[in-house]
Amino acid sequence: DQMKMSPCEELYLKQPCNLASMLFQEYTDSMSGESSPYTSWLEINLNAIKNNVRQFKRLTNKAVMAVLKANAYGHGVTGVAQAVAEAGAEWCAVARFEEALSLRKKGITLPILVLGYTQPDCAVEAIKHNISLAVFDPSIVQLYLEKIQQQGGKLKVHVKIDTGMGRLGVFPQDAFEFMTWLYRQPGIEVEGLFTHFARADEPALTTTPRQIEHFKSLVSRLEAEHLRPRWVHACNSAGVFNYPEAYYDMVRPGISLYGLNPSAETQIPSEFLPALSWKTRLVSIKNYPPGYGISYSHIYTTSANERIGAIAIGYADNYRRQNGNIALIGGKRVNVVGRVCMDQSMVQLDALPDARVGDEVVLIGRQGEAYLSADEIASIWQTANYEVVANLADRLPRIYV
């Protein structure tokens, strides 16, 4: 008790074990990335996320349901939830009930919709914590009702319509009967109606207009019978940019809330700002002779005298074992060489004679005039930017700046 701890020791001892939930505000107010105690970390610009919420509201003039599933697409759900609420988002959405319950326990008071399946045993907890559930199967709703009848209360639901996604949802031809049945259930409050677009990021195709037409026909029929719920929503990020006729009462942005493009065909406007930077450190520099094997399996061998560095990032952080990886050091692009290890990777430093151990390394984000985007990383990894950020490991601290 009498020993004086360093700021680094205090930081680790004071925070919960789940690194993804750390806020570290008292430190990030006074410490830049260069002086942070971390070896590898994410910096999340909450002002960028707030800006993007406001841009969606300005663009659509509709309510915004901020999609925060998958740990807010890897950005850290608690801090992002607070930011979107401050920026004026009316709702937030998650994929699973446990995500919603965690947000409630962390003090988030925004209305929350669970977009996916929820276990019947959770129905009473949903009522208790004011969490709305997606419904798409009468047999599951019947199980919800049995649980509610035992405890009392009214479950708020949004009816999911499968207009062409081929995933969850009631088919449009069955939806009217399903909804009229729901309205008759005393334990159910039909709060919303929604669908999800499969190819809204491919505006040259006719898929989304067909989905919109199916959904529009259902909404019109419900309106004629005075059964239209308060919240009708359809547009994801790409839908917002490409299909303004489908805004309805609320839009439901996900990927572009974080300043990322829905696809190569659908780019965000310049007013939207990327929020995430991924950083690590240069932890070793060595000079190797010609013919020296680097990392596992020696897939890279030095061709001359080469200066090789090690950086503290690996596949356990979701840094892919992929040929062609690049990083930024000293404001310049460097090649990642050799096989990516669990906790380290190697970089070629011949062009950076001034690089030193401890230097900041950027894997996503800006360093000086150089910029490395999540889209470029996704291209190297042959995947989507969604997967790059959503899979960033929990062991990477999220520092809000």
Side-chain angles (χ1 to χ4, degrees), residues 63-212:
V64 168
M65 177 183 282
V67 179
L68 308 181
K69 62 184 179 177
N71 196 25
Y73 288 58
H75 290 64
V77 68
T78 305
V80 173
Q82 293 167 343
V84 300
E86 292 171 10
E90 288 80 1
W91 280 76
C92 64
V94 293
R96 297 172 182 169
F97 182 76
E98 52 267 32
E99 295 175 299
L101 193 58
S102 176
L103 284 174
R104 283 288 183 255
K105 291 182 176 180
K106 290 172 182 173
I108 302 302
T109 59
L110 275 180
I112 302 175
L113 173 63
V114 178
L115 296 167
Y117 167 77
T118 298
Q119 281 275 69
D121 287 342
C122 298
V124 174
E125 283 290 295
I127 295 171
K128 178 182 176 182
H129 294 284
N130 192 29
I131 296 169
S132 302
L133 304 184
V135 293
F136 44 83
D137 185 321
S139 64
I140 297 172
V141 175
Q142 191 60 56
L143 294 174
Y144 291 157
L145 289 169
E146 291 173 10
K147 297 294 182 181
I148 294 167
Q149 288 166 3
Q150 296 170 16
Q151 300 290 331
K154 208 172 185 71
L155 180 67
K156 296 179 180 179
V157 302
H158 290 226
V159 180
K160 177 72 178 287
I161 309 300
D162 182 0
T163 56
M165 179 68 188
R167 201 169 61 180
L168 302 181
V170 182
F171 288 123
Q173 62 268 28
D174 303 322
F176 185 82
E177 181 180 354
F178 179 50
M179 291 194 68
T180 54
W181 174 76
L182 282 174
Y183 275 112
R184 293 196 300 267
Q185 307 310 310
I188 297 290
E189 179 183 340
V190 181
E191 191 177 40
L193 175 75
F194 71 113
T195 193
H196 189 62
F197 297 143
R199 308 184 78 173
D201 58 340
E202 302 172 277
L205 302 178
T206 60
T207 306
T208 306
R210 286 200 304 270
Q211 285 194 255
I212 292 172

Side-chain angles (χ1 to χ4, degrees), residues 48-66 83-92 110 230-231 235-237 240-241 247-253 256-257 269 271-272:
I49 291 173
K50 291 178 183 178
N51 167 78
N52 298 340
V53 171
R54 295 177 183 127
Q55 292 300 329
F56 276 115
K57 293 179 72 67
R58 178 194 61 78
L59 186 63
T60 66
N61 199 30
K62 301 292 182 180
V64 168
M65 177 183 282
V84 300
E86 292 171 10
E90 288 80 1
W91 280 76
C92 64
L110 275 180
R230 167 66 183 88
W231 296 106
C235 279
N236 53 10
S237 295
V240 168
F241 300 132
Y247 287 169
Y248 291 101
D249 306 310
M250 180 161 58
V251 293
R252 206 174 58 242
S256 298
L257 189 69
E271 293 84 2
F272 285 75

Side-chain angles (χ1 to χ4, degrees), residues 33-34 38-43 277-285 309-313 319 326-336 345-349 352 355-367 372 396:
E34 288 75 16
Y38 300 112
T39 306
S40 299
W41 69 100
L42 303 175
E43 292 179 4
S277 297
W278 186 5
K279 299 183 177 182
T280 186
R281 294 201 184 279
L282 188 59
V283 297
S284 173
I285 301 174
I311 60 176
I313 208 76
Y319 196 61
I326 54 179
L328 304 180
I329 303 176
K332 295 182 179 179
R333 289 173 172 243
V334 299
N335 293 323
V336 176
S345 302
M346 275 53 69
V347 289
Q348 220 290 341
L349 296 176
L352 293 174
R356 295 292 180 267
V357 169
D359 284 356
E360 178 188 274
V361 180
V362 173
L363 306 170
I364 295 177
R366 186 172 298 281
Q367 191 180 61
L372 190 53
L396 293 166

